[in-house]
Structure formats: structure tokens, C-alpha cells
Amino acid sequence: MLDTANTQEQLQARVRVVLVDTSHAGNIGAAARAMKNMGLTRLYLVNPKQFPHADATARASGADDVLARVTVCTTLDEALVGCHLVMGASARLRNLSVPLLDPRQCAAKVLSEASGAGVECALVFGREHSGLTNDELGRCHHLVHIPTNPEYSSLNLAAAVQVLSYELRVATSSEQVEVAGENAEALASADDMERFYVHLQQTLETIGFLDPKNPRIMMQRLRRLFNRARPDEVEMNILRGILTAAQKAKHQSDPE
Ligand code: SAH
């Protein structure tokens, strides 16, 4: 069991908020404010249209320290390096191939994992106009939807950040959290998983299982399978070893 203060500190250190392709700098500032109110501090921006910007500073209104420590990235993969649990916030109930949670379930999951040794979690938010792409959702272990009026389901970006951060805060304050699997092997990180998917696709093409002209649907299905399995580092080494052995066997059986 952990005490609340410790859990809050761990959350600050281990939960990052990732905003993808944000158009309005004001939303970045408002998101920083929402995070700081709820005790989160690590903000990652993937290709922001305008940053730094006066509108961001104005809307942050006192959360300038969060803005000052922002990490700006060029790809979502870069923003997810070192993450083990990735939650994608979605205004629309699409791509139901990724398991769907509500904000409370999301908070419980993040909390139970972020209390485990060395586990990092990301909450990913999409573009104001079009949300997250299917490829981006394919990087997520779970999709999180904030229940809304079904005819008007899209919240302002910073409001969505507020709701998910608030639920994390409530979950931290109201529960004693079980430390997740302290003796378990470390989970494979998002970047380990991306390297694995590249290796998997190459191998499946080499052995003639995957049509290189049309790999998309099969790779999406395989991503869903392995993201659900959440392999640890030892299991990941075994999987990579299998792929290497399959490639070697194929090369050896090929005629000279
Ligand atoms: N028009 C976009 C919505 C963009 S809102 C669309 O239809 O997808 C910007 C971001 O805020 C979304 O990508 C999502 O990350 C978050 N967001 C907005 N409303 C949400 C909701 N009801 N549940 C979860 N996330 C939401």
C-alpha cells in the first residue's frame, strides 16, 4: 500500500500529458493550467502550430512552470519513448478495436500501473479539428471517452485534459493504491513495441505471410493483439528472438 502523498508524487513524475498537433496556443496554456491544478507537471507537445506563444502564457495563468518545462517533439513516437501504458482520449466512439474506458476507469488503471516500479504512463490528446488518427490510436493500449451528450460529444481540448487529470486526482486522494507487481518484470516500453512492430512486419514480409503492398489491416490487428498482451521485457526478447530465427531459417532455405 502507498500513502496519498507518495502516490501524488509518483503521478507527477510518471504521468505525461501529450498534445498532438495542437492548433491554438491558448489551448496549450489552458491544458497546462488544468494539469497543474490537478498536480500533473509533464507536458509533451507533438508539432504544436504555435509554441511558445503569448496566448499560451496568458491562458496558463500561473502554470508557466509547466510551460517552461514542456518537451516539444516532432512525432508521437518520440513523445512516447519510455512509456509503458498509453491512453488515447477520443471524442468519438470509433476504432473500437482498442479497448474503451471511461475517465474513472482510466484513472484507476493509470494509478495502479504508475505505482509499479519504473512504469511511465501517457495521456494522449488529439487535434482540435480531427482528433487522433487511426495510426495514433494504434499506439494506445486503451481509448478513453468522456461521457457526453451524444449529439455534442467534443469537449474543448483543455477541458478534456481537465476531466482526465481531475479523475486521476480524485483516484489518488480517495484510495490507498496497491503497488502494482513490484516483483514482476518491467513492461516493454512504447519504443520497444514500435521496434518490435517494424521487425514483425519485416519478418512477415520476408516469410511471405504479409503482402508488402497491403500490410495495414493485418498490422493493425497484430498491434491490437500485442498491445492487449502487454509483453514484459523478457517476453519481448523472446518474441524478437523468434523473429530473428524465422528470418535466419528463411535465408538458409532460400536457394543460393
Ligand atoms: N473534432 C474532434 C475532437 C477534437 S477535440 C473529433 O471529432 O475527434 C480535441 C481532443 O480533445 C480530442 O482529440 C480528444 O483527445 C479530446 N476530447 C474531446 N472531447 C472528448 C471526449 N468526449 N472524450 C475524450 N476525449 C475528448
Side-chain angles (χ1 to χ4, degrees):
M1 298 283 240
L2 292 172
D3 68 37
T4 301
N6 274 342
T7 316
Q8 196 55 51
E9 268 170 36
Q10 286 186 341
L11 271 184
Q12 278 178 14
R14 294 189 184 165
V15 175
R16 63 184 82 169
V17 168
V18 180
L19 307 183
V20 179
D21 264 346
T22 310
S23 301
H24 300 292
N27 281 335
I28 296 174
R33 180 180 186 175
M35 288 169 60
K36 186 169 176 181
N37 282 144
M38 299 300 142
L40 297 178
T41 52
R42 296 176 62 206
L43 178 58
Y44 286 61
L45 304 176
V46 180
N47 278 328
K49 297 276 175 300
Q50 318 161 296
F51 189 80
H53 193 277
D55 289 351
T57 311
R59 294 286 300 281
S61 128
D64 327 50
D65 49 337
V66 175
L67 291 185
R69 270 184 277 135
V70 151
T71 306
V72 179
C73 305
T74 51
T75 62
L76 177 57
D77 285 339
E78 200 184 319
L80 296 180
V81 167
C83 276
H84 305 87
L85 178 69
V86 182
M87 303 295 204
S90 178
R92 281 175 286 153
L93 297 173
R94 54 189 178 175
N95 198 324
L96 288 174
S97 54
V98 182
L100 182 70
L101 302 178
D102 69 26
R104 209 151 291 176
Q105 293 167 321
C106 167
K109 184 96 192 125
V110 169
L111 216 58
S112 72
E113 298 229 0
S115 59
V119 176
E120 295 246 351
C121 303
L123 304 176
V124 182
F125 297 83
R127 300 155 187 81
E128 289 95 332
H129 295 298
S130 54
L132 294 166
T133 64
N134 281 338
D135 269 2
E136 288 159 352
L137 290 171
R139 263 80 177 156
C140 301
H141 294 104
H142 297 274
L143 235 147
V144 189
H145 178 71
I146 301 164
T148 50
N149 172 358
E151 278 144 40
Y152 192 62
S153 68
S154 175
L155 275 74
N156 164 265
L157 172 61
V161 171
Q162 184 77 78
V163 172
L164 296 204
S165 319
Y166 166 75
E167 285 295 344
L168 268 177
R169 183 84 196 176
V170 173
T172 319
S173 322
S174 64
E175 274 177 34
Q176 292 280 302
V177 183
E178 290 289 336
V179 177
E182 271 194 330
N183 299 321
E185 294 291 342
L187 292 172
S189 63
D191 36 316
D192 287 336
M193 293 302 289
E194 287 312 308
R195 282 187 287 272
F196 165 67
Y197 290 126
V198 170
H199 195 178
L200 179 63
Q201 182 166 344
Q202 282 166 352
T203 309
L204 296 180
E205 287 174 7
T206 304
I207 64 174
F209 180 78
L210 195 67
D211 176 3
K213 286 188 231 89
N214 197 13
R216 206 175 186 78
I217 301 285
M218 178 60 71
M219 287 310 297
Q220 273 179 2
R221 287 195 170 271
L222 290 169
R223 272 179 178 274
R224 185 174 134 190
L225 168 66
F226 287 106
N227 282 351
R228 196 167 64 228
R230 313 282 314 281
D232 64 33
E233 285 174 355
V234 173
E235 292 163 338
M236 182 49 67
N237 283 339
I238 295 171
L239 289 170
R240 296 289 294 267
I242 293 171
L243 296 180
T244 303
Q247 284 184 323
K248 205 164 145 199
K250 170 78 172 98
H251 291 314
Q252 280 167 355
S253 70
D254 280 345
E256 291 295 317

